[in-house]
Amino acid sequence: MTNSVIDASLPPSGPIPQPGDARTKSWVPAVLIGVAILFLGFVLYIPAINVFYQAFHKGIGPFLKNLKEPNFLHAIQMTLALAAIAVPLNTIFGLATAWALARKRFRGRTLLLSIIDLPFAISPVVAGLMIVLLYGRNGWFGGWLQAHNINIVFAFPAMLLATIFVSMPFVAREVIPVLEEEGLDQEEAAYTLGANPWQTFWRVTVPNIRWGLLYGILLTNARAMGEFGAVSVVSGNIAGKTQSLPLYVEEAYKGYETEAAYSAAVLLALLAVVTLVVKEVLEQRTGGYRKKVH
Amino acid sequence: MAASSQQISRSPGDSPWQVFLHSLIHMPWTWRIMLGYLAVMLFLPTAAMLTKASGIGLAEFWRIATSPIALSTYDVTFTTSLIAALIDGVFGVLVAWVLVRYDFPLKRFIDASIDLPFALPTAVAGLTLATVYSENGWIGSLFAPFGIKIAFTRLGVGIAMMFISLPFVVRTVQPVLMQMERETEEAAWSLGASALETFWRVLLPPLFPAILTGVALGFSRAVGEYGSTVIVSSNTPFKDLIAPILIFQRLEQYDYAGATVIGMVLLILSLLMLLVINFIQAWGKRYD
């Protein structure tokens, strides 16, 4: 066969025809992409852009002015304090849980895993209600707490408990699959070479699970700083006292202080943007570690 | 580590109670942390609510749970959540499809942005949706001339629910779509199926369990949602008052029994939804 014959049998140049090309008109993808982006625009992007527009459309001045507002500053401190305590505690719990449950098979394991996921299924308001019913005036511990003059509900401790409740499962959820994938070989090797469990944990396990762990901590932090429903129920929402940043947003808005509301909202939106960027980076690090539902 | 507790020799005559006590004492410290933390943070609060609920009495429980205001909040909550989740079901599949199958500018950015509702605090979502969809907001003003009010009505609540549930559908459908082999589609094509036929008969059946799971997850998230909906709703009873907000209002009035009953209804529904989701996932595995 000569080249000319082959050449004649092929189209001169251009893409190889895909099956169905004759029937899929080229406008179909364009229309589908357009509709998808339009939908996302209405539901996600325009609202997201609006946060930054409202906060900064009169320049950075109003934002800086609000930054000097004592209640606003107190709300920021409150949110940072909640995250500073809730995130480490939930991380320790998540690591212990992952360590206890990953790579082990026993009866009731699936049930235990579902129980750990339960805080995601329970409405935040119901979570808050549970805490009120436990520590509130008429709750189980109410009498005892009152007798000892300890305030939990409508004070920081209950806000912390609510924050912990709603952000509890993230670390365990992210670390368990990573631990399962790693297997036991490296840790067994470390033991054989004479490492004690603590050394093995810090030098072998933690480096292996670090990206999954960071991912879990990141999500825990985002939820802890952003939680509204559960914290709102237990806090009493006293400005300058028991008000976290999300609660400040709502109260400022309801009090027609839209500017103040957006100054606080833009900080939380920045937190969300940072979370998403770090999340992308971590997903790349873990090599096609696929996006999951939380 | 769990095994080590079983390796410790026991005298054969031990009663089950002794065996239980023994394993409790020799429990590895990871188990102690896990169970201790769960007990304090999850079991105790849940138990407090269950005992409160059981103390109410069946007749009284039923009376509160089926009071007209409660029934109207179920109607608003469940119907709106369901419609929002179904709309997300349709558009979520479209978004997942576009992200998996086509290439276009800013695709990676759009893909990453789908998780925005997970990352954005719900109070911020409610605030900005209330602004954008209000009568003189960017989007609301487009609809206002037609007499359609969105913010501070049930429609606004629905939009907020769509916002928070969207990632659930996209992120459950996307991985399944990525794994699907294009050969089957191509076979359908070359056997003369039309685009629509290929979609309905070839693509949709294996995707269906994932879509249902996503919609169910989105629905249960929307039912429990409080932060964004409380701001975007006018919270008018019998109009756009949703069940989580009714719980909040009952608590504000120190009506603990009333709050507990509505809370129990929501809790039972979330547990039912968990069962349904597990069932759908098990059913979906038949394609694996």
Side-chain angles (χ1 to χ4, degrees):
Chain A
M1 279 216 270
T2 62
N3 279 338
S4 61
V5 176
I6 295 168
D7 284 345
S9 68
L10 285 171
S13 63
I16 300 154
Q18 288 290 312
D21 260 6
R23 279 159 291 165
T24 350
K25 283 144 199 105
S26 56
W27 52 262
V28 170
V31 167
L32 292 181
I33 293 168
V35 173
I37 291 178
L38 198 71
F39 174 78
L40 291 175
F42 271 82
V43 178
L44 294 187
Y45 302 139
I46 295 177
I49 292 165
N50 177 63
V51 177
F52 293 91
Y53 173 79
Q54 297 287 342
F56 297 124
H57 74 291
K58 287 183 197 151
I60 199 146
F63 176 72
L64 292 177
K65 195 191 90 210
N66 281 313
L67 265 184
K68 294 192 190 107
E69 231 255 286
N71 286 347
F72 184 32
L73 286 177
H74 188 271
I76 295 176
Q77 283 172 14
M78 204 76 178
T79 292
L80 292 177
L82 286 173
I85 305 173
V87 174
L89 285 180
N90 277 341
T91 304
I92 293 169
F93 161 74
L95 277 176
T97 302
W99 193 260
L101 298 185
R103 309 181 292 203
K104 306 240 160 51
R105 292 287 173 272
F106 53 89
R107 244 188 316 153
R109 181 179 184 270
T110 323
L111 181 70
L112 203 50
L113 284 171
S114 323
I115 289 175
I116 289 159
D117 263 351
L118 216 53
F120 285 164
I122 296 174
S123 167
V125 176
V126 175
L129 170 68
M130 287 174 170
I131 290 168
V132 171
L133 291 176
L134 185 59
Y135 300 102
R137 215 155 27 113
N138 302 317
W140 277 14
F141 301 146
W144 188 88
L145 289 168
Q146 258 189 327
H148 292 78
N149 231 341
I150 305 169
N151 282 327
I152 291 198
V153 169
F154 306 136
F156 186 78
M159 296 169 72
L160 181 65
L161 288 169
T163 306
I164 287 176
F165 188 104
V166 295
S167 59
M168 197 154 69
F170 285 114
V171 172
R173 242 188 187 210
E174 296 304 325
V175 173
I176 287 173
V178 184
L179 267 182
E180 277 175 351
E181 218 167 285
E182 291 292 335
L184 275 167
D185 302 353
Q186 294 185 23
E187 273 133 27
E188 273 164 5
Y191 281 128
T192 324
L193 294 169
N196 65 37
W198 197 242
Q199 284 172 320
T200 314
F201 176 73
W202 281 109
R203 304 230 185 125
V204 180
T205 315
V206 170
N208 275 338
I209 61 171
R210 64 184 184 279
W211 300 125
L213 178 61
L214 267 177
Y215 196 96
I217 293 175
L218 179 79
L219 298 175
T220 311
N221 181 62
R223 188 70 202 261
M225 288 192 170
E227 177 54 25
F228 179 80
V231 175
S232 175
V233 171
V234 301
S235 77
N237 204 357
I238 308 157
K241 272 187 145 173
T242 59
Q243 204 169 55
S244 63
L245 212 44
L247 300 187
Y248 179 86
V249 170
E250 192 221 5
E251 208 196 51
Y253 178 71
K254 293 230 157 130
Y256 300 102
E257 297 172 52
T258 315
E259 235 166 47
Y262 273 102
S263 297
V266 86
L267 282 185
L268 291 169
L270 282 174
L271 168 77
V273 171
V274 171
T275 304
L276 286 185
V277 170
V278 178
K279 198 166 176 271
E280 266 308 289
V281 173
L282 288 177
E283 269 160 15
Q284 305 255 308
R285 292 268 168 172
T286 45
Y289 183 169
R290 270 324 301 171
K291 296 184 191 319
K292 280 175 286 185
V293 174
H294 304 290
Chain B
M1 280 198 179
S4 65
S5 60
Q6 284 141 30
Q7 281 156 16
I8 298 160
S9 59
R10 265 185 241 113
S11 53
D14 280 357
S15 71
W17 175 243
Q18 278 171 310
V19 173
F20 174 73
L21 214 63
H22 185 90
S23 63
L24 207 65
I25 292 165
H26 294 275
M27 199 190 285
W29 60 271
T30 49
W31 276 79
R32 289 176 202 212
I33 294 178
M34 174 178 75
L35 293 180
Y37 203 80
L38 280 175
V40 175
M41 299 299 175
L42 184 61
F43 299 154
L44 260 181
T46 314
M49 185 160 135
L50 294 180
T51 42
K52 176 77 190 169
S54 60
I56 291 169
L58 211 59
E60 178 70 357
F61 190 101
W62 185 251
R63 192 190 62 77
I64 301 173
T66 58
S67 63
I69 178 122
L71 290 178
S72 92
T73 60
Y74 306 148
D75 173 37
V76 176
T77 315
F78 302 145
T79 329
T80 318
S81 300
L82 188 65
I83 295 170
L86 288 175
I87 295 175
D88 273 346
V90 174
F91 284 98
V93 171
L94 173 69
V95 170
W97 171 264
V98 160
L99 287 173
V100 172
R101 289 298 169 92
Y102 304 136
D103 269 315
F104 50 93
L106 290 178
K107 178 172 147 169
R108 280 212 29 213
F109 167 81
I110 289 172
D111 194 359
S113 72
I114 300 295
D115 285 329
L116 185 71
F118 286 146
L120 192 73
T122 51
V124 179
L127 171 72
T128 184
L129 289 172
T131 310
V132 167
Y133 282 93
S134 73
E135 266 169 279
N136 35 28
W138 287 348
I139 300 174
S141 59
L142 302 178
F143 291 90
F146 304 101
I148 303 171
K149 279 179 78 178
I150 301 177
F152 314 115
T153 68
R154 240 174 116 159
L155 218 54
V157 174
I159 302 266
M161 286 170 167
M162 270 164 64
F163 175 89
I164 50 151
S165 314
L166 180 66
F168 289 93
V169 180
V170 179
R171 295 297 187 227
T172 27
V173 174
Q174 211 176 3
V176 182
L177 206 50
M178 282 198 308
Q179 278 173 4
M180 254 163 69
E181 285 151 13
R182 294 177 91 149
E183 278 89 359
T184 33
E185 257 168 86
E186 282 166 8
W189 280 116
S190 42
L191 292 170
S194 72
L196 218 59
E197 272 177 317
T198 313
F199 178 76
W200 278 111
R201 302 232 187 129
V202 180
L203 278 168
L204 207 56
L207 270 185
F208 200 62
I211 299 173
L212 260 186
T213 307
V215 169
L217 284 169
F219 171 75
S220 35
R221 177 68 211 267
V223 164
E225 176 58 15
Y226 174 79
S228 57
T229 41
V230 74
I231 298 179
V232 88
S233 156
S234 70
N235 302 322
T236 317
F238 300 103
K239 217 184 112 219
D240 60 357
L241 184 72
I242 54 166
I245 300 173
L246 183 64
I247 297 178
F248 190 89
Q249 292 181 346
R250 289 281 181 265
L251 265 178
E252 275 187 326
Q253 298 152 357
Y254 300 104
D255 177 6
Y256 291 107
T260 306
V261 170
I262 315 289
M264 281 302 292
V265 172
L266 282 193
L267 185 69
I268 291 166
L269 185 90
S270 1
L271 296 181
L272 274 179
M273 285 308 296
L274 268 187
L275 281 180
V276 169
I277 291 162
N278 279 331
F279 174 77
I280 299 171
Q281 278 173 333
W283 172 66
K285 291 237 165 76
R286 73 206 156 100
Y287 283 106
D288 288 352

